[in-house]
Amino acid sequence: MQPAEIELSAWVLLTVAGEDYLIGHSEQTGAVLLSAPLVDLDSDVTPQWAVADGGTRYRLAPSKGLRSESDRREAAALLADSLAAWGIPDSERGPVLQQVFGSAGP
């Protein structure tokens, strides 16, 4: 079975507890997703490729950032739930959210 390949049209690279992740809008599902920790990121030329733990490949469109308000709301909820599930202390959540939204929240 080949690893999944997902195209992200709007995305943000973020670091949580020393690990790099992608959060972005999937063209296949129309939903915002959060990757597993990244093991490889090709930053040479767009379109960029990133590979997450488990082999999932992400094709990154040239435009960064979550553009639509619905993507921003979905990302905020997904990220808040994930950070809580990963046991990230409240004191460390603000800087993570700032990487995505430019402030402590959406």
Side-chain angles (χ1 to χ4, degrees):
M1 182 174 171
Q2 286 195 347
E5 196 169 282
I6 298 171
E7 184 174 338
L8 298 180
S9 61
W11 56 276
V12 176
L13 178 66
L14 66 141
T15 302
V16 179
E19 299 274 3
D20 290 330
Y21 296 84
L22 288 169
I23 189 165
H25 180 90
S26 165
E27 286 301 301
Q28 286 92 336
T29 66
V32 171
L33 61 80
L34 179 64
S35 74
L38 299 178
V39 295
D40 186 25
L41 181 64
D42 176 9
S43 60
D44 288 343
V45 179
T46 54
Q48 293 180 314
W49 287 94
V51 180
D53 191 23
T56 300
R57 290 174 45 94
Y58 296 92
R59 183 174 189 262
L60 309 177
S63 59
K64 291 175 117 179
L66 299 172
R67 296 182 296 265
S68 76
E69 190 58 37
S70 63
D71 279 357
R72 292 173 61 83
R73 283 193 305 273
E74 197 175 334
L78 176 61
L79 200 50
D81 290 347
S82 297
L83 293 173
W86 295 339
I88 303 296
D90 288 342
S91 61
E92 295 177 24
R93 292 181 192 175
V96 172
L97 292 172
Q98 190 169 16
Q99 292 176 66
V100 178
F101 303 107
S103 63

Coordinates of all heavy atoms in Angstrom, one line a residue:
M1 N 0.8 -1.2 0.0 CA 0.0 0.0 0.0 C 0.9 1.2 0.0 O 1.8 1.4 0.8 CB -0.9 0.0 1.2 CG -1.8 1.1 1.3 SD -2.9 0.9 2.7 CE -3.7 2.4 2.8
Q2 N 0.6 2.2 -0.9 CA 1.4 3.4 -1.0 C 0.9 4.4 0.0 O -0.3 4.4 0.3 CB 1.3 4.0 -2.4 CG 2.1 3.2 -3.4 CD 2.3 4.1 -4.7 OE1 1.6 5.1 -4.8 NE2 3.1 3.7 -5.5
P3 N 1.9 5.2 0.6 CA 1.5 6.2 1.5 C 0.5 7.2 0.8 O 0.6 7.4 -0.4 CB 2.8 6.9 1.9 CG 3.9 6.1 1.4 CD 3.3 5.2 0.3
A4 N -0.3 7.8 1.6 CA -1.3 8.8 1.1 C -0.5 10.1 0.6 O 0.6 10.4 1.1 CB -2.3 9.2 2.2
E5 N -1.2 10.7 -0.3 CA -0.6 12.0 -0.9 C -1.8 13.0 -0.8 O -2.8 12.8 -1.3 CB -0.2 11.8 -2.3 CG 0.7 12.9 -2.8 CD 1.3 12.5 -4.1 OE1 2.3 11.7 -4.1 OE2 0.8 13.0 -5.1
I6 N -1.5 14.1 0.0 CA -2.5 15.1 0.2 C -2.0 16.5 -0.3 O -0.9 16.9 0.0 CB -2.8 15.2 1.7 CG1 -3.4 13.8 2.2 CG2 -3.8 16.3 2.1 CD1 -3.5 13.7 3.7
E7 N -2.9 17.2 -1.0 CA -2.6 18.5 -1.5 C -3.2 19.5 -0.5 O -4.4 19.5 -0.2 CB -3.1 18.7 -2.9 CG -2.7 20.1 -3.4 CD -3.2 20.2 -4.9 OE1 -3.4 19.2 -5.6 OE2 -3.3 21.4 -5.3
L8 N -2.3 20.5 0.0 CA -2.8 21.5 0.9 C -2.8 22.8 0.1 O -1.7 23.3 -0.3 CB -1.9 21.6 2.1 CG -1.9 20.4 3.0 CD1 -1.0 20.6 4.2 CD2 -3.3 20.0 3.5
S9 N -3.9 23.5 -0.1 CA -4.0 24.7 -0.8 C -3.7 25.9 0.1 O -3.2 27.0 -0.4 CB -5.3 24.9 -1.5 OG -6.3 24.9 -0.5
A10 N -4.0 25.8 1.3 CA -3.7 26.9 2.3 C -3.1 26.2 3.5 O -3.7 25.2 4.0 CB -5.0 27.6 2.6
W11 N -2.0 26.6 4.0 CA -1.3 25.9 5.0 C -0.4 26.8 5.9 O 0.0 27.8 5.4 CB -0.5 24.7 4.4 CG 0.5 25.1 3.4 CD1 0.2 25.4 2.1 CD2 1.8 25.5 3.6 NE1 1.3 25.8 1.4 CE2 2.4 25.9 2.3 CE3 2.7 25.5 4.7 CZ2 3.7 26.3 2.2 CZ3 4.0 25.8 4.5 CH2 4.5 26.2 3.3
V12 N 0.0 26.2 7.0 CA 0.9 26.9 7.9 C 1.8 25.8 8.5 O 1.3 24.8 8.9 CB 0.2 27.6 9.1 CG1 1.2 28.3 10.1 CG2 -0.7 28.7 8.5
L13 N 3.1 26.1 8.5 CA 4.1 25.2 9.2 C 4.2 25.7 10.6 O 4.4 26.9 10.9 CB 5.4 25.3 8.4 CG 6.6 24.5 9.0 CD1 6.3 23.0 8.9 CD2 7.9 24.8 8.3
L14 N 4.1 24.8 11.6 CA 4.2 25.2 13.0 C 5.0 24.2 13.7 O 5.2 23.0 13.3 CB 2.8 25.4 13.6 CG 2.0 24.1 13.8 CD1 1.3 24.2 15.1 CD2 0.9 24.1 12.7
T15 N 5.6 24.6 14.8 CA 6.4 23.8 15.7 C 5.8 23.7 17.1 O 5.4 24.7 17.7 CB 7.8 24.4 15.9 OG1 8.4 24.6 14.6 CG2 8.7 23.5 16.7
V16 N 5.6 22.4 17.5 CA 5.0 22.1 18.8 C 5.9 21.2 19.5 O 6.2 20.1 19.0 CB 3.6 21.5 18.6 CG1 3.0 21.2 20.0 CG2 2.7 22.4 17.9
A17 N 6.4 21.6 20.7 CA 7.3 20.7 21.5 C 8.4 20.2 20.7 O 8.8 19.0 20.8 CB 6.5 19.6 22.1
G18 N 9.0 21.0 19.9 CA 10.2 20.7 19.1 C 10.0 19.9 17.8 O 10.9 19.5 17.1
E19 N 8.7 19.6 17.5 CA 8.3 18.8 16.3 C 7.7 19.8 15.3 O 6.9 20.7 15.7 CB 7.3 17.7 16.6 CG 7.9 16.7 17.6 CD 8.6 15.6 16.9 OE1 8.8 15.6 15.7 OE2 9.1 14.6 17.6
D20 N 7.9 19.6 14.0 CA 7.3 20.4 13.0 C 6.0 19.7 12.5 O 6.0 18.5 12.3 CB 8.2 20.6 11.8 CG 9.4 21.5 12.1 OD1 9.2 22.4 13.0 OD2 10.4 21.4 11.5
Y21 N 5.0 20.5 12.3 CA 3.7 20.0 11.8 C 3.2 20.9 10.7 O 3.6 22.1 10.6 CB 2.6 20.0 12.9 CG 2.9 19.1 14.1 CD1 3.8 19.4 15.1 CD2 2.4 17.8 14.1 CE1 4.0 18.6 16.2 CE2 2.6 16.9 15.2 CZ 3.5 17.3 16.2 OH 3.7 16.5 17.2
L22 N 2.2 20.4 9.9 CA 1.5 21.2 9.0 C 0.0 21.3 9.4 O -0.5 20.2 9.8 CB 1.5 20.6 7.6 CG 2.8 20.7 6.8 CD1 2.8 19.9 5.6 CD2 3.1 22.2 6.5
I23 N -0.6 22.4 9.3 CA -2.0 22.5 9.5 C -2.5 23.3 8.2 O -1.9 24.3 7.8 CB -2.4 23.3 10.8 CG1 -3.9 23.1 11.0 CG2 -2.0 24.7 10.9 CD1 -4.4 23.5 12.4
G24 N -3.5 22.7 7.6 CA -3.9 23.3 6.3 C -5.2 22.7 5.8 O -5.7 21.8 6.3
H25 N -5.6 23.4 4.7 CA -6.9 23.0 4.0 C -6.6 21.9 3.0 O -5.8 22.2 2.0 CB -7.5 24.2 3.3 CG -8.7 24.0 2.6 ND1 -9.9 24.1 3.2 CD2 -9.0 23.6 1.3 CE1 -10.9 23.8 2.3 NE2 -10.3 23.5 1.2
S26 N -7.2 20.8 3.1 CA -7.0 19.7 2.2 C -7.9 19.8 1.0 O -9.1 20.0 1.1 CB -7.3 18.3 2.9 OG -7.4 17.3 1.9
E27 N -7.3 19.8 -0.2 CA -8.1 19.9 -1.4 C -9.0 18.6 -1.6 O -10.0 18.7 -2.2 CB -7.2 20.0 -2.6 CG -6.6 21.4 -2.7 CD -7.7 22.5 -2.8 OE1 -8.5 22.5 -3.7 OE2 -7.7 23.4 -1.9
Q28 N -8.5 17.5 -1.1 CA -9.2 16.2 -1.3 C -10.5 16.2 -0.5 O -11.5 15.7 -0.9 CB -8.4 15.0 -1.0 CG -7.4 14.7 -2.0 CD -6.0 15.3 -1.8 OE1 -5.9 16.4 -1.1 NE2 -5.0 14.8 -2.3
T29 N -10.4 16.6 0.8 CA -11.5 16.5 1.7 C -12.3 17.8 1.9 O -13.4 17.8 2.4 CB -11.1 16.0 3.1 OG1 -10.2 17.0 3.7 CG2 -10.3 14.7 3.0
G30 N -11.7 18.9 1.6 CA -12.3 20.2 1.8 C -12.3 20.6 3.3 O -12.9 21.6 3.7
A31 N -11.5 19.9 4.1 CA -11.5 20.1 5.5 C -10.0 20.6 5.9 O -9.1 20.4 5.2 CB -11.8 18.9 6.3
V32 N -9.9 21.1 7.1 CA -8.6 21.5 7.7 C -8.1 20.3 8.4 O -8.8 19.6 9.1 CB -8.7 22.7 8.6 CG1 -7.4 22.9 9.4 CG2 -9.1 23.9 7.9
L33 N -6.8 20.0 8.2 CA -6.2 18.8 8.8 C -4.9 19.3 9.5 O -4.3 20.3 9.1 CB -6.0 17.7 7.9 CG -5.1 17.9 6.7 CD1 -3.6 17.8 7.0 CD2 -5.4 16.9 5.6
L34 N -4.5 18.4 10.5 CA -3.2 18.6 11.2 C -2.4 17.4 10.9 O -2.9 16.3 11.1 CB -3.5 18.8 12.7 CG -2.3 19.0 13.6 CD1 -1.5 20.3 13.2 CD2 -2.7 19.0 15.0
S35 N -1.2 17.5 10.4 CA -0.3 16.4 10.1 C 0.2 15.7 11.3 O 0.2 16.3 12.4 CB 0.8 16.8 9.1 OG 1.8 17.5 9.9
A36 N 0.8 14.5 11.1 CA 1.6 13.9 12.1 C 2.9 14.7 12.0 O 3.2 15.5 11.2 CB 1.9 12.4 11.7
P37 N 3.8 14.4 13.0 CA 5.1 15.2 12.9 C 5.8 14.9 11.6 O 5.8 13.8 11.1 CB 6.0 14.5 14.1 CG 4.9 13.9 15.0 CD 3.8 13.5 14.1
L38 N 6.4 16.0 11.1 CA 7.1 15.9 9.8 C 8.5 15.3 9.9 O 9.2 15.6 10.9 CB 7.2 17.3 9.2 CG 5.9 18.1 8.9 CD1 6.2 19.4 8.3 CD2 5.0 17.3 8.0
V39 N 8.9 14.5 9.0 CA 10.2 13.9 9.0 C 11.1 14.5 7.9 O 12.3 14.3 7.9 CB 10.2 12.4 8.9 CG1 9.5 11.8 10.2 CG2 9.4 11.9 7.7
D40 N 10.4 15.1 6.9 CA 11.2 15.7 5.7 C 10.4 16.9 5.2 O 9.2 16.8 5.0 CB 11.4 14.6 4.7 CG 12.3 15.1 3.5 OD1 13.1 16.0 3.8 OD2 12.1 14.6 2.4
L41 N 11.1 17.9 4.9 CA 10.4 19.1 4.3 C 11.4 19.7 3.2 O 12.5 20.0 3.5 CB 10.2 20.2 5.3 CG 9.5 21.5 4.9 CD1 8.1 21.2 4.4 CD2 9.5 22.5 6.1
D42 N 10.9 19.7 2.0 CA 11.6 20.2 0.8 C 11.3 21.7 0.6 O 10.2 22.0 0.2 CB 11.3 19.4 -0.4 CG 12.0 19.9 -1.7 OD1 12.9 20.8 -1.5 OD2 11.6 19.5 -2.8
S43 N 12.3 22.5 1.0 CA 12.0 24.0 0.9 C 12.6 24.6 -0.3 O 12.7 25.8 -0.4 CB 12.5 24.6 2.2 OG 13.9 24.4 2.3
D44 N 13.1 23.8 -1.3 CA 13.8 24.3 -2.5 C 12.8 25.2 -3.3 O 13.0 26.4 -3.4 CB 14.3 23.2 -3.3 CG 15.5 22.6 -2.7 OD1 16.1 23.2 -1.8 OD2 15.9 21.5 -3.1
V45 N 11.9 24.6 -4.0 CA 11.1 25.3 -5.0 C 9.6 24.9 -4.8 O 9.4 23.7 -4.5 CB 11.5 25.0 -6.4 CG1 10.6 25.7 -7.4 CG2 13.0 25.4 -6.6
T46 N 8.7 25.8 -4.9 CA 7.3 25.4 -4.8 C 6.9 24.8 -6.1 O 7.5 25.1 -7.2 CB 6.4 26.6 -4.6 OG1 6.6 27.6 -5.5 CG2 6.6 27.2 -3.2
P47 N 6.0 23.8 -6.2 CA 5.3 23.3 -5.0 C 6.3 22.5 -4.1 O 7.1 21.8 -4.5 CB 4.2 22.4 -5.5 CG 4.7 22.0 -6.8 CD 5.6 23.1 -7.4
Q48 N 6.1 22.8 -2.8 CA 6.9 22.1 -1.8 C 6.3 20.8 -1.5 O 5.1 20.6 -1.6 CB 7.0 22.9 -0.5 CG 7.8 24.2 -0.7 CD 7.9 25.0 0.6 OE1 6.9 25.2 1.3 NE2 9.1 25.5 0.9
W49 N 7.1 19.9 -1.0 CA 6.6 18.6 -0.5 C 7.1 18.5 0.9 O 8.2 18.8 1.3 CB 7.2 17.5 -1.3 CG 6.6 17.3 -2.7 CD1 7.1 17.9 -3.8 CD2 5.5 16.7 -3.0 NE1 6.3 17.6 -4.9 CE2 5.3 16.8 -4.4 CE3 4.5 15.9 -2.3 CZ2 4.2 16.3 -5.1 CZ3 3.4 15.4 -3.0 CH2 3.3 15.5 -4.4
A50 N 6.2 17.9 1.7 CA 6.6 17.5 3.1 C 6.2 16.1 3.3 O 5.2 15.6 2.7 CB 5.9 18.4 4.1
V51 N 6.9 15.4 4.1 CA 6.6 14.0 4.4 C 6.4 13.9 6.0 O 7.3 14.3 6.7 CB 7.7 13.0 3.9 CG1 7.3 11.6 4.3 CG2 7.9 13.2 2.4
A52 N 5.3 13.3 6.4 CA 5.0 13.2 7.8 C 5.4 11.8 8.3 O 5.5 10.8 7.4 CB 3.6 13.4 8.1
D53 N 5.6 11.6 9.6 CA 5.8 10.3 10.2 C 4.7 9.4 9.7 O 3.5 9.7 9.7 CB 5.8 10.4 11.7 CG 6.2 9.2 12.4 OD1 7.0 8.4 11.8 OD2 5.9 9.0 13.5
G54 N 5.0 8.2 9.2 CA 4.0 7.3 8.7 C 4.0 7.3 7.2 O 3.3 6.5 6.5
G55 N 4.7 8.3 6.5 CA 4.8 8.3 5.1 C 3.9 9.2 4.3 O 4.0 9.3 3.1
T56 N 2.9 9.8 5.0 CA 2.0 10.6 4.2 C 2.8 11.8 3.6 O 3.5 12.5 4.3 CB 0.9 11.2 5.1 OG1 0.1 10.1 5.7 CG2 -0.1 12.1 4.4
R57 N 2.5 12.0 2.3 CA 3.2 13.1 1.6 C 2.2 14.3 1.4 O 1.1 14.1 1.1 CB 3.7 12.7 0.3 CG 4.9 11.7 0.3 CD 5.2 11.2 -1.0 NE 5.3 12.2 -2.1 CZ 6.4 12.8 -2.5 NH1 7.5 12.5 -1.9 NH2 6.4 13.7 -3.5
Y58 N 2.7 15.5 1.7 CA 1.9 16.7 1.5 C 2.5 17.6 0.4 O 3.6 17.9 0.5 CB 1.8 17.5 2.8 CG 1.2 16.8 3.9 CD1 1.9 16.0 4.8 CD2 -0.2 16.8 4.1 CE1 1.3 15.3 5.8 CE2 -0.8 16.1 5.1 CZ -0.1 15.3 6.0 OH -0.7 14.6 7.0
R59 N 1.6 17.9 -0.6 CA 2.0 18.8 -1.7 C 1.5 20.2 -1.2 O 0.3 20.3 -1.0 CB 1.4 18.4 -3.0 CG 1.9 19.3 -4.1 CD 1.4 18.7 -5.4 NE 2.0 19.4 -6.6 CZ 1.4 20.4 -7.2 NH1 0.2 20.8 -6.8 NH2 2.0 21.0 -8.2
L60 N 2.4 21.1 -1.1 CA 2.1 22.4 -0.6 C 2.0 23.4 -1.7 O 3.0 23.7 -2.4 CB 3.2 22.8 0.5 CG 3.5 21.8 1.5 CD1 4.6 22.3 2.4 CD2 2.2 21.5 2.3
A61 N 0.8 24.0 -1.8 CA 0.6 25.1 -2.8 C 1.5 26.3 -2.4 O 1.8 26.5 -1.2 CB -0.8 25.5 -2.8
P62 N 1.8 27.2 -3.4 CA 2.7 28.3 -3.1 C 2.2 29.3 -2.0 O 2.9 29.9 -1.3 CB 2.9 29.0 -4.4 CG 2.5 28.0 -5.4 CD 1.5 27.0 -4.8
S63 N 0.9 29.4 -1.9 CA 0.3 30.4 -1.0 C 0.2 29.8 0.4 O -0.4 28.8 0.6 CB -1.0 30.9 -1.5 OG -1.9 29.8 -1.6
K64 N 0.9 30.5 1.3 CA 0.8 30.0 2.7 C -0.3 30.7 3.4 O -0.8 31.7 3.0 CB 2.1 30.4 3.4 CG 3.3 29.6 3.0 CD 4.5 30.2 3.7 CE 5.2 29.2 4.6 NZ 6.3 29.6 5.3
G65 N -0.7 30.2 4.6 CA -1.7 30.8 5.4 C -3.1 30.3 5.2 O -3.4 29.8 4.1
L66 N -3.9 30.3 6.2 CA -5.3 29.9 6.1 C -6.1 31.2 5.7 O -6.1 32.2 6.4 CB -5.8 29.4 7.5 CG -5.0 28.2 8.0 CD1 -5.4 27.8 9.4 CD2 -5.3 27.0 7.0
R67 N -6.7 31.1 4.5 CA -7.3 32.3 4.0 C -8.8 32.5 4.4 O -9.2 33.6 4.7 CB -7.2 32.3 2.5 CG -5.8 32.3 2.0 CD -5.7 32.3 0.5 NE -6.2 31.1 -0.1 CZ -5.5 30.1 -0.5 NH1 -4.2 30.1 -0.3 NH2 -6.1 29.0 -1.1
S68 N -9.6 31.5 4.5 CA -11.0 31.7 4.7 C -11.2 31.7 6.2 O -10.5 31.0 7.0 CB -11.8 30.6 4.1 OG -11.7 29.4 4.8
E69 N -12.3 32.4 6.6 CA -12.6 32.5 8.0 C -13.1 31.1 8.6 O -12.7 30.7 9.7 CB -13.8 33.5 8.2 CG -14.0 33.8 9.7 CD -12.8 34.3 10.5 OE1 -12.0 35.1 9.9 OE2 -12.7 34.0 11.7
S70 N -13.7 30.3 7.7 CA -14.2 29.0 8.2 C -12.9 28.1 8.4 O -12.9 27.3 9.4 CB -15.1 28.3 7.2 OG -14.5 28.1 6.0
D71 N -11.9 28.2 7.5 CA -10.7 27.4 7.8 C -10.0 27.8 9.1 O -9.5 27.0 9.8 CB -9.7 27.6 6.6 CG -10.0 26.7 5.4 OD1 -11.0 25.9 5.5 OD2 -9.3 26.8 4.4
R72 N -10.0 29.1 9.3 CA -9.4 29.6 10.6 C -10.1 29.1 11.8 O -9.5 28.7 12.8 CB -9.3 31.1 10.6 CG -8.3 31.7 9.5 CD -8.4 33.2 9.4 NE -8.0 33.9 10.6 CZ -6.8 34.2 11.0 NH1 -5.8 33.7 10.3 NH2 -6.6 34.8 12.1
R73 N -11.4 29.1 11.8 CA -12.2 28.6 12.9 C -12.0 27.1 13.1 O -11.8 26.6 14.2 CB -13.7 28.9 12.7 CG -14.1 30.3 13.0 CD -15.6 30.4 13.1 NE -16.3 30.0 11.9 CZ -16.6 30.7 10.8 NH1 -16.2 31.9 10.8 NH2 -17.2 30.2 9.8
E74 N -12.0 26.3 12.0 CA -11.8 24.9 12.0 C -10.4 24.6 12.5 O -10.2 23.7 13.4 CB -12.0 24.3 10.6 CG -12.2 22.8 10.6 CD -12.5 22.3 9.2 OE1 -13.0 23.0 8.4 OE2 -12.2 21.1 9.0
A75 N -9.4 25.3 12.1 CA -8.0 25.1 12.5 C -7.9 25.4 14.0 O -7.2 24.7 14.8 CB -7.1 26.0 11.7
A76 N -8.5 26.5 14.5 CA -8.5 26.8 15.9 C -9.0 25.7 16.8 O -8.4 25.3 17.8 CB -9.2 28.1 16.2
A77 N -10.2 25.2 16.4 CA -10.8 24.1 17.2 C -9.9 22.8 17.1 O -9.6 22.2 18.2 CB -12.2 23.8 16.6
L78 N -9.4 22.5 15.9 CA -8.6 21.3 15.8 C -7.3 21.4 16.6 O -6.9 20.5 17.3 CB -8.2 21.1 14.3 CG -7.3 20.0 13.9 CD1 -7.8 18.6 14.4 CD2 -7.0 20.0 12.4
L79 N -6.7 22.6 16.5 CA -5.4 22.8 17.2 C -5.6 22.8 18.7 O -4.8 22.2 19.5 CB -4.8 24.1 16.7 CG -3.3 24.3 17.0 CD1 -2.5 23.2 16.5 CD2 -2.8 25.6 16.3
A80 N -6.7 23.4 19.2 CA -6.9 23.5 20.6 C -7.2 22.0 21.2 O -6.6 21.6 22.2 CB -8.2 24.3 20.9
D81 N -7.9 21.2 20.4 CA -8.2 19.8 20.9 C -6.9 19.0 20.8 O -6.6 18.2 21.7 CB -9.2 19.2 19.9 CG -10.6 19.7 20.1 OD1 -10.9 20.4 21.1 OD2 -11.5 19.4 19.3
S82 N -6.1 19.2 19.8 CA -4.8 18.4 19.6 C -3.8 18.8 20.7 O -3.2 17.9 21.3 CB -4.2 18.7 18.3 OG -5.1 18.2 17.2
L83 N -3.7 20.1 21.0 CA -2.7 20.5 22.0 C -3.1 20.0 23.4 O -2.3 19.5 24.2 CB -2.6 22.0 22.1 CG -2.0 22.7 20.8 CD1 -2.1 24.2 20.9 CD2 -0.6 22.3 20.6
A84 N -4.4 20.0 23.7 CA -4.9 19.4 24.9 C -4.7 17.9 25.0 O -4.2 17.4 26.0 CB -6.4 19.7 25.1
A85 N -4.9 17.2 23.9 CA -4.7 15.8 23.9 C -3.3 15.4 24.0 O -2.9 14.4 24.6 CB -5.3 15.2 22.6
W86 N -2.4 16.3 23.5 CA -1.0 16.0 23.5 C -0.4 16.4 24.9 O 0.8 16.2 25.1 CB -0.2 16.8 22.5 CG -0.5 16.3 21.1 CD1 -1.1 15.2 20.7 CD2 -0.3 17.1 19.9 NE1 -1.3 15.1 19.3 CE2 -0.8 16.3 18.8 CE3 0.2 18.4 19.6 CZ2 -0.8 16.8 17.5 CZ3 0.2 18.8 18.3 CH2 -0.2 18.0 17.3
G87 N -1.2 17.0 25.8 CA -0.7 17.4 27.1 C 0.2 18.6 27.1 O 1.0 18.8 28.0
I88 N 0.0 19.5 26.1 CA 0.8 20.7 26.0 C 0.2 21.7 27.0 O -1.0 21.9 27.0 CB 0.7 21.4 24.6 CG1 1.2 20.4 23.5 CG2 1.4 22.7 24.6 CD1 2.6 20.0 23.6
P89 N 1.0 22.2 28.0 CA 0.4 23.0 29.0 C -0.2 24.3 28.5 O 0.3 24.8 27.4 CB 1.7 23.4 29.9 CG 2.8 22.5 29.4 CD 2.4 21.9 28.1
D90 N -1.1 24.9 29.2 CA -1.8 26.1 28.8 C -0.7 27.2 28.5 O -0.9 28.0 27.5 CB -2.7 26.6 29.8 CG -4.0 25.8 29.9 OD1 -4.3 25.0 29.0 OD2 -4.7 25.9 30.9
S91 N 0.3 27.3 29.3 CA 1.3 28.3 29.1 C 2.1 28.2 27.8 O 2.6 29.2 27.3 CB 2.3 28.2 30.3 OG 3.0 27.0 30.2
E92 N 2.1 27.1 27.1 CA 2.8 26.9 25.9 C 1.8 26.9 24.7 O 2.3 26.9 23.5 CB 3.5 25.5 25.9 CG 4.6 25.5 26.9 CD 5.3 24.1 26.9 OE1 5.3 23.4 25.9 OE2 5.9 23.8 28.0
R93 N 0.5 27.0 24.9 CA -0.5 27.0 23.8 C -0.5 28.3 23.1 O -0.7 28.4 21.9 CB -1.9 26.6 24.3 CG -1.9 25.2 24.8 CD -3.3 24.8 25.3 NE -3.2 23.5 26.0 CZ -4.2 22.9 26.6 NH1 -5.4 23.5 26.6 NH2 -4.0 21.8 27.2
G94 N -0.4 29.4 23.8 CA -0.4 30.8 23.2 C 0.7 30.9 22.1 O 0.3 31.3 20.9
P95 N 1.9 30.6 22.3 CA 2.9 30.7 21.3 C 2.6 29.8 20.1 O 2.9 30.2 18.9 CB 4.2 30.3 22.0 CG 4.0 30.6 23.4 CD 2.5 30.3 23.6
V96 N 2.1 28.6 20.3 CA 1.7 27.7 19.2 C 0.6 28.4 18.3 O 0.7 28.4 17.1 CB 1.3 26.3 19.7 CG1 0.7 25.5 18.5 CG2 2.5 25.6 20.3
L97 N -0.4 28.9 19.0 CA -1.5 29.5 18.3 C -1.0 30.8 17.5 O -1.5 31.1 16.4 CB -2.7 29.9 19.2 CG -3.4 28.7 19.8 CD1 -4.4 29.2 20.9 CD2 -4.2 27.9 18.8
Q98 N -0.1 31.4 18.1 CA 0.5 32.6 17.5 C 1.2 32.3 16.1 O 1.1 33.1 15.2 CB 1.5 33.3 18.4 CG 1.9 34.7 17.9 CD 2.6 35.5 19.0 OE1 3.1 34.9 20.0 NE2 2.7 36.8 18.8
Q99 N 1.8 31.1 16.1 CA 2.4 30.7 14.8 C 1.4 30.6 13.7 O 1.7 30.8 12.5 CB 3.1 29.3 15.0 CG 4.3 29.3 15.9 CD 4.8 27.9 16.0 OE1 5.3 27.3 15.1 NE2 4.7 27.3 17.2
V100 N 0.2 30.2 14.0 CA -0.9 30.0 13.0 C -1.7 31.3 12.8 O -1.9 31.6 11.6 CB -1.8 28.9 13.5 CG1 -3.0 28.7 12.4 CG2 -1.1 27.6 13.6
F101 N -2.0 32.0 13.8 CA -2.9 33.1 13.7 C -2.3 34.5 13.9 O -3.0 35.5 13.7 CB -4.1 32.9 14.7 CG -4.8 31.7 14.6 CD1 -4.7 30.6 15.5 CD2 -5.7 31.5 13.5 CE1 -5.3 29.4 15.3 CE2 -6.3 30.3 13.3 CZ -6.2 29.3 14.2
G102 N -1.1 34.5 14.3 CA -0.4 35.8 14.5 C -0.8 36.5 15.8 O -0.3 37.6 16.1
S103 N -1.6 35.8 16.7 CA -1.9 36.3 18.0 C -2.2 35.1 18.8 O -2.0 34.0 18.4 CB -3.1 37.2 17.9 OG -4.2 36.5 17.5
A104 N -2.7 35.3 20.1 CA -2.9 34.1 20.9 C -4.1 33.3 20.5 O -4.5 32.3 21.1 CB -3.0 34.6 22.4
G105 N -4.8 33.8 19.5 CA -6.0 33.0 19.1 C -6.5 33.6 17.7 O -6.0 34.5 17.2
P106 N -7.5 32.9 17.2 CA -8.1 33.3 15.9 C -8.9 34.6 15.9 O -9.3 35.0 16.9 CB -9.0 32.1 15.5 CG -9.3 31.4 16.7 CD -8.2 31.7 17.7

